[in-house]
Amino acid sequence: MSSEQTPYAQFPGSVIAQPPCRMINANMYGFFIKGDLNKIQTYLDETVGLVSGYTFKAISKYCMLTFTDIENIKPTTEPWASQGYFQETDVIIWLPVAKMQRDKVSHIYWYPAFICVNNVYALINGRETWGFNKYLCDYKMPEIGGSPDFFSMTVDAFKTFSPDTKMSPCELFNVKMLAQDTESPIENFVDLIEEGMSLLENEIDFFDLDFSVYKQLLSGFINPQIDQLLFKQLPDGSATNAVYQDVLHSPSAIQKFHTGKLYFHEFEFTLNQVDMFPLSDMFGIEVGSQRPLLPFNILFDFNQEAAMSL
């Protein structure tokens, strides 16, 4: 449900910049983490599924967790393009989602359902303009070319809900390398898809749809474009009703692939219980440790395009 079209007030001191934005040297590490298909579907129903006219289906019990350090970001539209650039790190839990039409898959999206960032400028613009569900965090991750030994994300949160709980820094999750093995270099996104598919096809509980549909999902890397699904809403002054609520999509247009590799090291993902961000309720990711699938690292440039209604 969209509001009437009213020109946005660009007043002095406002930090809202018009998209698109160009991103240089995005250093992304990714892992597939096991959740629960029913809980993921409930999360979809309670967010993007609220907008009338759309039906979305969870197509895997696995979520993709990424740590991405983007070295240089700036809008491409003036006057913001001439104001400067900034660094941003995103830690994202992605849900692979199918848009359904007459019980058939009409399009495949990546839904960045939970995002934490290190930069308040990125947080404000991401939430206000695109509708990204962003929160501030501290993080640890390797630099470009570094060994993938340890990743973590810490948020200011209420760890246990109670009247006497004070908000404090809480580590929500971490990923550590337990044993070193081999690495397989990849030359482009096509290599990532082909090698990834050969590995994931052996995981019989990974796919909830036909394997060919999942290939359609990852084929977005070839275009080269990653279609992101977004749930954007703005609350009224009492946070009771939405003055704006819609489902949007925003393409990430790949500009250049620098390097990439698949890891065959042994990794361990550990989720801690933090009541404020109950990932077990949201996505069915169990508190405790598990072995993530398909760990990878890619370094690339991309443009984040404006968000548009479906």
Side-chain angles (χ1 to χ4, degrees), residues 133-153:
N133 182 22
K134 289 188 174 183
Y135 194 72
L136 283 176
C137 73
D138 291 320
Y139 67 95
K140 293 181 180 178
M141 64 175 290
E143 296 183 354
I144 294 175
S147 176
D149 297 329
F150 184 74
F151 306 77
S152 70
M153 190 187 75

Side-chain angles (χ1 to χ4, degrees), residues 279-306:
L279 299 187
S280 57
D281 295 335
M282 297 162 67
F283 312 123
I285 303 173
E286 293 185 1
V287 173
S289 299
Q290 61 169 281
R291 179 181 68 90
L293 301 181
L294 192 62
F296 67 87
N297 171 229
I298 51 176
L299 179 66
F300 62 108
D301 303 339
F302 71 100
N303 289 347
Q304 192 63 47
E305 304 294 337

Side-chain angles (χ1 to χ4, degrees), residues 34-101:
K34 189 175 183 179
D36 179 87
L37 191 68
N38 292 329
K39 289 187 177 180
I40 293 172
Q41 185 62 56
T42 298
Y43 188 86
L44 295 180
D45 294 341
E46 293 176 346
T47 55
V48 291
L50 292 178
V51 179
S52 177
Y54 298 114
T55 301
F56 297 97
K57 177 180 173 62
I59 61 177
S60 176
K61 66 177 63 176
Y62 281 85
C63 314
M64 184 170 70
L65 168 65
T66 59
F67 288 77
T68 308
D69 180 3
I70 307 172
E71 183 179 284
N72 188 309
I73 304 176
K74 69 162 59 177
T76 61
T77 305
E78 293 293 355
W80 302 279
S82 298
Q83 292 178 351
Y85 74 93
F86 60 97
Q87 181 275 341
E88 176 184 351
T89 298
D90 298 311
V91 183
I92 306 179
I93 294 176
W94 304 80
L95 306 178
V97 176
K99 179 185 175 186
M100 307 299 294
Q101 189 171 10

Side-chain angles (χ1 to χ4, degrees), residues 88-211:
E88 176 184 351
T89 298
D90 298 311
V91 183
I92 306 179
I93 294 176
W94 304 80
L95 306 178
V97 176
K99 179 185 175 186
M100 307 299 294
Q101 189 171 10
R102 299 186 183 91
D103 296 326
K104 293 184 178 181
V105 175
S106 65
H107 198 81
I108 302 294
Y109 293 96
W110 287 103
Y111 180 18
F114 180 66
I115 310 177
C116 286
V117 298
N118 67 322
N119 182 298
V120 70
Y121 185 87
L123 182 147
I124 292 172
N125 276 275
R127 290 184 71 102
E128 295 288 317
T129 302
W130 280 271
F132 289 116
N133 182 22
K134 289 188 174 183
Y135 194 72
L136 283 176
C137 73
D138 291 320
Y139 67 95
K140 293 181 180 178
M141 64 175 290
E143 296 183 354
I144 294 175
S147 176
D149 297 329
F150 184 74
F151 306 77
S152 70
M153 190 187 75
T154 299
V155 291
D156 286 341
F158 301 120
K159 182 172 179 59
T160 303
F161 285 155
S162 79
D164 298 322
T165 297
K166 181 180 179 180
M167 182 175 285
S168 62
C170 304
E171 184 190 73
L172 186 56
F173 50 72
N174 67 67
V175 181
K176 63 181 68 174
M177 185 169 65
L178 299 181
Q180 192 168 6
D181 202 332
T182 59
E183 300 177 356
S184 176
I186 48 181
E187 299 295 331
N188 50 48
F189 283 103
V190 178
D191 288 348
L192 175 62
I193 296 163
E194 291 178 347
E195 296 201 37
M197 286 295 95
S198 65
L199 293 172
L200 294 179
E201 197 167 14
N202 296 325
E203 298 289 336
I204 59 174
D205 65 344
F206 194 96
F207 306 101
D208 189 56
L209 295 176
D210 183 83
F211 189 71

